[in-house]
Amino acid sequence: MARENWTSSIGFILASAGSAIGLGNIWKFPYMAGTNGGGTFVFVYLLCVFLIGLPVMCSEMLIGRVTRRNVINALGKIELISSSTFGRNILCFLAGAAMVLFASIHAWLLAGASLIGAVAFARKGFAAVGWVCAILSFAILSYYAVVGGWIVEYIWRSLTATFTDIEGVTAIEVAKQSTAEFGAYTANPWRVLIGFAIFMALTGAVILGGIQAGIERVSKILMPALFVLLLVVIVRSVTLPGAWEGVVFLLKPTAAAFSPKVIMMALGQAFFSLSLGMAITVTYGSYLKRDQSILHAAGWVGILDTLAALLAGLAIFPAVFSVGLDPSAGPGLIFGALPATFATMPLGAIWATAFFFMLLIAAVTSSASLLECTATVLIERMRKHHKRCTRRCAVWIAFITCSLAGLLSVFSTADWTYLPCVEKGVRWCLGSLTQGNWFDTLDNLCSNWGLPFTALIIALLIGWVYGTRRAKINLLSSDASKNPPKWLLTAWGISVKWIAPVAILIVFLTMSGLLKL
Ligand code: PFF
């Protein structure tokens, strides 16, 4: 069967943006900015997106377009065309270094996994990286769906108007009450479980029911609508009394707030938000035609994604400051600030329902791409070992196991009370990487370590194994009029070869304490 292609650049850009724009922009970006110094985080984040994220995104698209295969075969094929064992040696070295690093912080499970990784890389080379991608997308979906469940709950709450029918009560009181209610809600895992199950079921239904095309079509209308709604919320939020302080907090960097941790958080968030490091973009790129310019496509996806995040920040922080919430409140930030804003709007319940509904659709398009990634790797691996695994069967396996794994996050979003034994085990396995609860630990592990690690491998593969000279030719469109200026290509080459790998390595070494800046 002939491979389908994206009929237009716009279709490709919108589909990639559909995977990229999700909870990472509207829920995670504001709370990460809030806990990591506001404007300083935003400034570093922008640098990470444009200097590291986008060049890696171009590389992933390039791998897809050159090989026209799914992620595992694609990475293996690139190595094959490059016919060098150099890359394999780098991988083994990196895995060995990771082993030492993790052992030094008593993260025994990760040290063991790196050892297995080193053996796998020695035998299979870059194709083995597919496993890392599958594990990451599996793990991310397991907690992403918990946040998706919160959104389902908030659609229900806005439909039943529990936070909007509060005449005579000030926005400040609503904010305080909503924050307390959010705390009480996440402390009750049985209630969280309902939202989680609904969100997982939606994700599974999209993939299993083959309605992905349908949902993409719907999201083409709803995503722009989400942008418009964000603008409406911004207008309301910035006109609240004392809101300007929030705008300044979001946009003004201060030297005092700067630290290596901020860079690590911003880098991880950039990869998470752009859906990088999981090779989803490789799959998308494999459908990209030769006459389309990768640099343009990646540029647009990056701009749309960053715009969504900044708009979300502008919608949240003015309200946060106006109603006196703590900007470093963490994952519950938007669930305190947004209800307060909606409560002060005429027809607040309707706005709130529409907003959370669009956010849900944006989240489902992202979670569907995560489930798809795990399933694709499963199918590929089984086929390799001559076991028959239909797409349906793979999706079911991914869906069921991921739902089970997600229970850990569901039962630990408040604290470890429900899982005391698990806490001990996790501390032993992950050492000092263990954070507040399982949900935070997993997010830290995947976003701040896992995604930069796979992105590092992709950058090394293209920058050093495949070679930037050859890559540059393939980045261009066959139609010369669509090509970007030469300096942009040169900048891209410098980034994948030097800036991205060196920056990621420095961040890893600093965060593990092996390098003191
Ligand atoms: N980029 C998505 C978001 O910002 O919500 C999350 C995500 C989707 C991450 C798909 C990674 C991925 F492969």
Side-chain angles (χ1 to χ4, degrees), residues 120-275:
F121 291 155
R123 292 186 51 212
K124 307 261 179 227
F126 282 86
V129 178
W131 273 112
V132 186
C133 295
I135 293 170
L136 279 174
S137 48
F138 176 87
I140 291 184
L141 180 57
S142 80
Y143 68 86
Y144 197 82
V146 175
V147 187
W150 297 347
I151 305 295
V152 173
E153 167 80 20
Y154 273 73
I155 294 181
W156 171 249
R157 288 186 185 202
S158 37
L159 270 176
T160 52
T162 46
F163 60 72
T164 39
D165 56 347
I166 26 181
E167 254 168 58
V169 183
T170 63
I172 299 180
E173 284 166 50
V174 178
K176 288 217 176 88
Q177 197 182 323
S178 313
T179 309
E181 273 175 10
F182 177 75
Y185 161 60
T186 49
N188 175 3
W190 300 105
R191 178 94 196 175
V192 176
L193 186 59
I194 299 175
F196 169 78
I198 296 177
F199 187 83
M200 274 309 287
L202 279 175
T203 306
V206 166
I207 301 263
L208 272 171
I211 48 171
Q212 211 156 0
I215 196 106
E216 267 161 26
R217 219 167 300 140
V218 175
S219 73
K220 267 179 209 159
I221 306 162
L222 288 184
M223 297 282 259
L226 181 65
F227 272 84
V228 174
L229 213 56
L230 268 174
L231 288 176
V232 173
V233 180
I234 290 175
V235 171
R236 174 67 277 213
S237 182
V238 295
T239 48
L240 288 170
W244 191 245
E245 235 183 290
V247 178
V248 174
F249 175 79
L250 181 72
L251 299 179
K252 191 165 171 228
T254 50
F258 186 79
S259 72
K261 184 168 163 249
V262 170
I263 307 182
M264 182 180 214
M265 296 296 156
L267 190 66
Q269 172 62 13
F271 289 132
F272 185 90
S273 189
L274 294 170
S275 298

Side-chain angles (χ1 to χ4, degrees), residues 19-25 144 272-275 278 280 366 369-370:
S19 163
I21 299 174
L23 296 170
N25 307 64
Y144 197 82
F272 185 90
S273 189
L274 294 170
S275 298
M278 247 160 303
I280 282 177
S366 301
S369 63
L370 287 166

